[in-house]
mmCIF file of all heavy atoms in Angstrom:
data_model
loop_
_atom_site.group_PDB
_atom_site.id
_atom_site.type_symbol
_atom_site.label_atom_id
_atom_site.label_comp_id
_atom_site.label_asym_id
_atom_site.label_seq_id
_atom_site.Cartn_x
_atom_site.Cartn_y
_atom_site.Cartn_z
ATOM 1 N N ARG A 1198 -7.823 -36.157 57.186
ATOM 2 C CA ARG A 1198 -6.546 -35.466 56.988
ATOM 3 C C ARG A 1198 -5.671 -36.222 55.982
ATOM 4 O O ARG A 1198 -5.103 -35.630 55.064
ATOM 5 C CB ARG A 1198 -5.870 -35.383 58.363
ATOM 6 C CG ARG A 1198 -4.583 -34.618 58.444
ATOM 7 C CD ARG A 1198 -4.217 -34.529 59.937
ATOM 8 N NE ARG A 1198 -2.820 -34.281 60.155
ATOM 9 C CZ ARG A 1198 -2.282 -33.071 60.397
ATOM 10 N NH1 ARG A 1198 -3.057 -32.017 60.461
ATOM 11 N NH2 ARG A 1198 -0.991 -32.933 60.585
ATOM 12 N N TYR A 1205 -4.593 -33.785 47.279
ATOM 13 C CA TYR A 1205 -4.049 -32.564 46.652
ATOM 14 C C TYR A 1205 -3.248 -32.866 45.390
ATOM 15 O O TYR A 1205 -3.413 -32.177 44.388
ATOM 16 C CB TYR A 1205 -3.250 -31.748 47.675
ATOM 17 C CG TYR A 1205 -4.170 -30.883 48.508
ATOM 18 C CD1 TYR A 1205 -4.564 -31.260 49.777
ATOM 19 C CD2 TYR A 1205 -4.685 -29.705 47.974
ATOM 20 C CE1 TYR A 1205 -5.441 -30.482 50.516
ATOM 21 C CE2 TYR A 1205 -5.559 -28.919 48.704
ATOM 22 C CZ TYR A 1205 -5.934 -29.312 49.974
ATOM 23 O OH TYR A 1205 -6.809 -28.542 50.687
ATOM 24 N N PRO A 1206 -2.382 -33.876 45.418
ATOM 25 C CA PRO A 1206 -1.655 -34.172 44.168
ATOM 26 C C PRO A 1206 -2.582 -34.557 43.007
ATOM 27 O O PRO A 1206 -2.194 -34.433 41.853
ATOM 28 C CB PRO A 1206 -0.742 -35.340 44.557
ATOM 29 C CG PRO A 1206 -0.534 -35.172 46.026
ATOM 30 C CD PRO A 1206 -1.861 -34.678 46.533
ATOM 31 N N LEU A 1207 -3.784 -35.001 43.310
ATOM 32 C CA LEU A 1207 -4.746 -35.304 42.242
ATOM 33 C C LEU A 1207 -5.542 -34.060 41.852
ATOM 34 O O LEU A 1207 -6.487 -34.141 41.067
ATOM 35 C CB LEU A 1207 -5.696 -36.429 42.678
ATOM 36 C CG LEU A 1207 -5.052 -37.802 42.950
ATOM 37 C CD1 LEU A 1207 -6.088 -38.770 43.516
ATOM 38 C CD2 LEU A 1207 -4.445 -38.379 41.666
ATOM 39 N N LEU A 1225 -6.489 -28.419 56.151
ATOM 40 C CA LEU A 1225 -6.324 -28.973 54.800
ATOM 41 C C LEU A 1225 -7.553 -28.804 53.923
ATOM 42 O O LEU A 1225 -7.670 -29.437 52.870
ATOM 43 C CB LEU A 1225 -5.937 -30.451 54.894
ATOM 44 C CG LEU A 1225 -4.519 -30.663 55.423
ATOM 45 C CD1 LEU A 1225 -4.299 -32.089 55.871
ATOM 46 C CD2 LEU A 1225 -3.513 -30.284 54.345
ATOM 47 N N GLU A 1458 2.491 -49.320 46.544
ATOM 48 C CA GLU A 1458 2.682 -48.448 45.375
ATOM 49 C C GLU A 1458 1.698 -47.273 45.426
ATOM 50 O O GLU A 1458 2.053 -46.145 45.122
ATOM 51 C CB GLU A 1458 2.477 -49.279 44.105
ATOM 52 C CG GLU A 1458 2.726 -48.563 42.811
ATOM 53 C CD GLU A 1458 4.195 -48.166 42.610
ATOM 54 O OE1 GLU A 1458 5.092 -48.929 42.958
ATOM 55 O OE2 GLU A 1458 4.415 -47.049 42.107
ATOM 56 N N ARG A 1467 -9.470 -42.308 44.166
ATOM 57 C CA ARG A 1467 -9.585 -42.784 42.784
ATOM 58 C C ARG A 1467 -10.895 -43.557 42.604
ATOM 59 O O ARG A 1467 -11.575 -43.420 41.592
ATOM 60 C CB ARG A 1467 -8.406 -43.696 42.439
ATOM 61 C CG ARG A 1467 -7.053 -42.981 42.358
ATOM 62 C CD ARG A 1467 -6.106 -43.836 41.549
ATOM 63 N NE ARG A 1467 -4.702 -43.488 41.655
ATOM 64 C CZ ARG A 1467 -3.764 -43.954 40.834
ATOM 65 N NH1 ARG A 1467 -4.095 -44.808 39.872
ATOM 66 N NH2 ARG A 1467 -2.507 -43.610 40.971
ATOM 67 N N SER A 1476 -1.916 -49.318 41.602
ATOM 68 C CA SER A 1476 -1.362 -50.607 42.032
ATOM 69 C C SER A 1476 -1.317 -50.692 43.553
ATOM 70 O O SER A 1476 -0.953 -49.739 44.238
ATOM 71 C CB SER A 1476 0.045 -50.767 41.466
ATOM 72 O OG SER A 1476 0.730 -51.796 42.159
ATOM 73 N N VAL A 1480 5.668 -52.377 48.398
ATOM 74 C CA VAL A 1480 7.008 -52.053 47.914
ATOM 75 C C VAL A 1480 8.101 -52.606 48.831
ATOM 76 O O VAL A 1480 9.273 -52.575 48.486
ATOM 77 C CB VAL A 1480 7.198 -50.534 47.692
ATOM 78 C CG1 VAL A 1480 6.299 -50.049 46.568
ATOM 79 C CG2 VAL A 1480 6.925 -49.745 48.947
ATOM 80 N N ASN A 1503 14.746 -45.432 58.656
ATOM 81 C CA ASN A 1503 13.579 -45.696 57.800
ATOM 82 C C ASN A 1503 12.229 -45.493 58.487
ATOM 83 O O ASN A 1503 11.215 -46.020 58.035
ATOM 84 C CB ASN A 1503 13.614 -47.109 57.213
ATOM 85 C CG ASN A 1503 14.763 -47.309 56.257
ATOM 86 O OD1 ASN A 1503 15.591 -46.413 56.084
ATOM 87 N ND2 ASN A 1503 14.810 -48.457 55.622
ATOM 88 N N HIS A 1505 8.961 -43.318 59.602
ATOM 89 C CA HIS A 1505 8.166 -42.213 59.063
ATOM 90 C C HIS A 1505 7.114 -41.849 60.088
ATOM 91 O O HIS A 1505 6.408 -42.723 60.589
ATOM 92 C CB HIS A 1505 7.516 -42.629 57.749
ATOM 93 C CG HIS A 1505 8.516 -42.951 56.691
ATOM 94 N ND1 HIS A 1505 9.107 -41.983 55.920
ATOM 95 C CD2 HIS A 1505 9.060 -44.128 56.313
ATOM 96 C CE1 HIS A 1505 9.974 -42.549 55.098
ATOM 97 N NE2 HIS A 1505 9.964 -43.847 55.311
ATOM 98 N N LEU A 1506 7.016 -40.570 60.358
ATOM 99 C CA LEU A 1506 6.116 -40.109 61.410
ATOM 100 C C LEU A 1506 4.874 -39.454 60.806
ATOM 101 O O LEU A 1506 4.965 -38.707 59.834
ATOM 102 C CB LEU A 1506 6.860 -39.093 62.281
ATOM 103 C CG LEU A 1506 6.072 -38.421 63.397
ATOM 104 C CD1 LEU A 1506 5.509 -39.445 64.380
ATOM 105 C CD2 LEU A 1506 6.960 -37.422 64.142
ATOM 106 N N HIS A 1507 3.731 -39.757 61.396
ATOM 107 C CA HIS A 1507 2.482 -39.126 60.975
ATOM 108 C C HIS A 1507 1.785 -38.590 62.215
ATOM 109 O O HIS A 1507 1.141 -39.349 62.945
ATOM 110 C CB HIS A 1507 1.580 -40.135 60.256
ATOM 111 C CG HIS A 1507 2.177 -40.661 58.997
ATOM 112 N ND1 HIS A 1507 1.854 -40.152 57.760
ATOM 113 C CD2 HIS A 1507 3.107 -41.617 58.782
ATOM 114 C CE1 HIS A 1507 2.565 -40.791 56.834
ATOM 115 N NE2 HIS A 1507 3.323 -41.685 57.416
ATOM 116 N N LEU A 1508 1.949 -37.313 62.449
ATOM 117 C CA LEU A 1508 1.268 -36.662 63.568
ATOM 118 C C LEU A 1508 -0.098 -36.191 63.073
ATOM 119 O O LEU A 1508 -0.237 -35.732 61.944
ATOM 120 C CB LEU A 1508 2.084 -35.468 64.057
ATOM 121 C CG LEU A 1508 3.475 -35.783 64.631
ATOM 122 C CD1 LEU A 1508 4.241 -34.488 64.902
ATOM 123 C CD2 LEU A 1508 3.355 -36.597 65.913
ATOM 124 N N ARG A 1525 9.827 -49.502 57.288
ATOM 125 C CA ARG A 1525 9.962 -50.464 56.192
ATOM 126 C C ARG A 1525 11.270 -51.204 56.333
ATOM 127 O O ARG A 1525 12.269 -50.631 56.792
ATOM 128 C CB ARG A 1525 10.014 -49.735 54.842
ATOM 129 C CG ARG A 1525 8.755 -49.045 54.496
ATOM 130 C CD ARG A 1525 8.670 -48.804 53.018
ATOM 131 N NE ARG A 1525 9.449 -47.648 52.591
ATOM 132 C CZ ARG A 1525 9.188 -46.976 51.469
ATOM 133 N NH1 ARG A 1525 8.203 -47.342 50.687
ATOM 134 N NH2 ARG A 1525 9.928 -45.946 51.136
ATOM 135 N N ARG B 637 3.934 -25.996 47.803
ATOM 136 C CA ARG B 637 2.815 -26.941 47.938
ATOM 137 C C ARG B 637 3.325 -28.323 48.353
ATOM 138 O O ARG B 637 2.793 -28.951 49.279
ATOM 139 C CB ARG B 637 2.114 -26.989 46.575
ATOM 140 C CG ARG B 637 0.868 -27.818 46.471
ATOM 141 C CD ARG B 637 0.266 -27.559 45.074
ATOM 142 N NE ARG B 637 -0.618 -28.608 44.650
ATOM 143 C CZ ARG B 637 -1.947 -28.571 44.757
ATOM 144 N NH1 ARG B 637 -2.533 -27.511 45.267
ATOM 145 N NH2 ARG B 637 -2.693 -29.576 44.331
ATOM 146 N N TYR B 644 2.815 -31.651 56.811
ATOM 147 C CA TYR B 644 1.670 -31.923 57.689
ATOM 148 C C TYR B 644 1.877 -33.182 58.535
ATOM 149 O O TYR B 644 1.608 -33.166 59.741
ATOM 150 C CB TYR B 644 0.366 -31.970 56.896
ATOM 151 C CG TYR B 644 -0.166 -30.570 56.684
ATOM 152 C CD1 TYR B 644 0.019 -29.884 55.496
ATOM 153 C CD2 TYR B 644 -0.824 -29.915 57.717
ATOM 154 C CE1 TYR B 644 -0.430 -28.589 55.326
ATOM 155 C CE2 TYR B 644 -1.289 -28.626 57.573
ATOM 156 C CZ TYR B 644 -1.089 -27.962 56.378
ATOM 157 O OH TYR B 644 -1.533 -26.683 56.238
ATOM 158 N N PRO B 645 2.371 -34.283 57.931
ATOM 159 C CA PRO B 645 2.593 -35.467 58.776
ATOM 160 C C PRO B 645 3.616 -35.230 59.891
ATOM 161 O O PRO B 645 3.611 -35.937 60.891
ATOM 162 C CB PRO B 645 3.097 -36.518 57.776
ATOM 163 C CG PRO B 645 2.517 -36.094 56.462
ATOM 164 C CD PRO B 645 2.551 -34.588 56.503
ATOM 165 N N LEU B 646 4.450 -34.225 59.747
ATOM 166 C CA LEU B 646 5.394 -33.891 60.825
ATOM 167 C C LEU B 646 4.770 -32.915 61.825
ATOM 168 O O LEU B 646 5.452 -32.418 62.722
ATOM 169 C CB LEU B 646 6.680 -33.294 60.243
ATOM 170 C CG LEU B 646 7.525 -34.225 59.357
ATOM 171 C CD1 LEU B 646 8.684 -33.466 58.729
ATOM 172 C CD2 LEU B 646 8.040 -35.420 60.152
ATOM 173 N N LEU B 664 -3.086 -24.904 51.290
ATOM 174 C CA LEU B 664 -2.361 -25.740 52.252
ATOM 175 C C LEU B 664 -1.754 -24.935 53.401
ATOM 176 O O LEU B 664 -0.914 -25.443 54.142
ATOM 177 C CB LEU B 664 -1.277 -26.535 51.532
ATOM 178 C CG LEU B 664 -1.853 -27.648 50.644
ATOM 179 C CD1 LEU B 664 -0.814 -28.165 49.675
ATOM 180 C CD2 LEU B 664 -2.365 -28.787 51.512
ATOM 181 N N GLU B 897 13.270 -43.325 50.062
ATOM 182 C CA GLU B 897 12.714 -43.627 51.386
ATOM 183 C C GLU B 897 12.126 -42.353 52.011
ATOM 184 O O GLU B 897 11.061 -42.386 52.622
ATOM 185 C CB GLU B 897 13.821 -44.207 52.271
ATOM 186 C CG GLU B 897 13.382 -44.668 53.633
ATOM 187 C CD GLU B 897 12.443 -45.859 53.595
ATOM 188 O OE1 GLU B 897 12.614 -46.763 52.754
ATOM 189 O OE2 GLU B 897 11.502 -45.878 54.403
ATOM 190 N N SER B 915 16.405 -41.349 55.531
ATOM 191 C CA SER B 915 17.174 -42.110 54.542
ATOM 192 C C SER B 915 16.859 -41.614 53.133
ATOM 193 O O SER B 915 15.710 -41.365 52.776
ATOM 194 C CB SER B 915 16.811 -43.591 54.651
ATOM 195 O OG SER B 915 17.218 -44.273 53.480
ATOM 196 N N VAL B 919 14.062 -46.420 46.489
ATOM 197 C CA VAL B 919 13.309 -47.647 46.737
ATOM 198 C C VAL B 919 13.085 -48.434 45.446
ATOM 199 O O VAL B 919 12.621 -49.567 45.482
ATOM 200 C CB VAL B 919 11.971 -47.381 47.469
ATOM 201 C CG1 VAL B 919 12.236 -46.866 48.874
ATOM 202 C CG2 VAL B 919 11.098 -46.405 46.707
ATOM 203 N N ASN B 942 1.590 -48.117 37.694
ATOM 204 C CA ASN B 942 2.539 -47.520 38.649
ATOM 205 C C ASN B 942 2.800 -46.035 38.427
ATOM 206 O O ASN B 942 3.806 -45.506 38.900
ATOM 207 C CB ASN B 942 3.887 -48.249 38.641
ATOM 208 C CG ASN B 942 3.759 -49.672 39.153
ATOM 209 O OD1 ASN B 942 2.652 -50.128 39.407
ATOM 210 N ND2 ASN B 942 4.870 -50.356 39.309
ATOM 211 N N SER B 943 1.919 -45.366 37.699
ATOM 212 C CA SER B 943 2.110 -43.932 37.505
ATOM 213 C C SER B 943 1.503 -43.169 38.677
ATOM 214 O O SER B 943 0.515 -43.591 39.277
ATOM 215 C CB SER B 943 1.464 -43.478 36.205
ATOM 216 O OG SER B 943 0.067 -43.676 36.270
ATOM 217 N N HIS B 944 2.110 -42.046 39.003
ATOM 218 C CA HIS B 944 1.633 -41.185 40.086
ATOM 219 C C HIS B 944 1.550 -39.769 39.559
ATOM 220 O O HIS B 944 2.497 -39.262 38.959
ATOM 221 C CB HIS B 944 2.598 -41.250 41.275
ATOM 222 C CG HIS B 944 2.667 -42.622 41.863
ATOM 223 N ND1 HIS B 944 1.753 -43.076 42.770
ATOM 224 C CD2 HIS B 944 3.516 -43.657 41.632
ATOM 225 C CE1 HIS B 944 2.043 -44.332 43.100
ATOM 226 N NE2 HIS B 944 3.105 -44.697 42.420
ATOM 227 N N LEU B 945 0.420 -39.141 39.803
ATOM 228 C CA LEU B 945 0.163 -37.820 39.246
ATOM 229 C C LEU B 945 0.297 -36.755 40.326
ATOM 230 O O LEU B 945 -0.161 -36.941 41.456
ATOM 231 C CB LEU B 945 -1.254 -37.797 38.656
ATOM 232 C CG LEU B 945 -1.750 -36.470 38.084
ATOM 233 C CD1 LEU B 945 -0.842 -35.998 36.957
ATOM 234 C CD2 LEU B 945 -3.180 -36.631 37.576
ATOM 235 N N HIS B 946 0.925 -35.650 39.965
ATOM 236 C CA HIS B 946 1.032 -34.510 40.870
ATOM 237 C C HIS B 946 0.580 -33.267 40.117
ATOM 238 O O HIS B 946 1.346 -32.699 39.340
ATOM 239 C CB HIS B 946 2.479 -34.349 41.365
ATOM 240 C CG HIS B 946 2.963 -35.523 42.153
ATOM 241 N ND1 HIS B 946 2.962 -35.534 43.527
ATOM 242 C CD2 HIS B 946 3.412 -36.742 41.773
ATOM 243 C CE1 HIS B 946 3.414 -36.705 43.952
ATOM 244 N NE2 HIS B 946 3.692 -37.446 42.912
ATOM 245 N N LEU B 947 -0.645 -32.895 40.349
ATOM 246 C CA LEU B 947 -1.176 -31.668 39.737
ATOM 247 C C LEU B 947 -0.856 -30.509 40.673
ATOM 248 O O LEU B 947 -0.929 -30.644 41.893
ATOM 249 C CB LEU B 947 -2.686 -31.784 39.547
ATOM 250 C CG LEU B 947 -3.163 -32.885 38.596
ATOM 251 C CD1 LEU B 947 -4.683 -33.019 38.657
ATOM 252 C CD2 LEU B 947 -2.723 -32.598 37.167
ATOM 253 N N ARG B 964 7.631 -45.762 38.598
ATOM 254 C CA ARG B 964 8.658 -46.614 39.204
ATOM 255 C C ARG B 964 8.681 -47.955 38.489
ATOM 256 O O ARG B 964 7.635 -48.452 38.065
ATOM 257 C CB ARG B 964 8.306 -46.912 40.665
ATOM 258 C CG ARG B 964 8.366 -45.734 41.549
ATOM 259 C CD ARG B 964 8.551 -46.134 42.991
ATOM 260 N NE ARG B 964 7.316 -46.581 43.616
ATOM 261 C CZ ARG B 964 7.119 -46.546 44.924
ATOM 262 N NH1 ARG B 964 8.059 -46.100 45.731
ATOM 263 N NH2 ARG B 964 5.983 -46.964 45.449
#
Side-chain angles (χ1 to χ4, degrees):
Chain A
R1198 185 173 158 98
Y1205 277 100
L1207 296 174
L1225 290 164
E1458 184 66 39
R1467 292 200 195 193
S1476 164
V1480 294
N1503 294 4
H1505 297 277
L1506 176 59
H1507 297 262
L1508 297 172
R1525 294 201 280 203
Chain B
R637 184 173 159 98
Y644 277 100
L646 296 174
L664 289 165
E897 185 66 38
S915 163
V919 294
N942 294 6
S943 64
H944 297 277
L945 177 60
H946 298 262
L947 297 172
R964 293 202 281 204

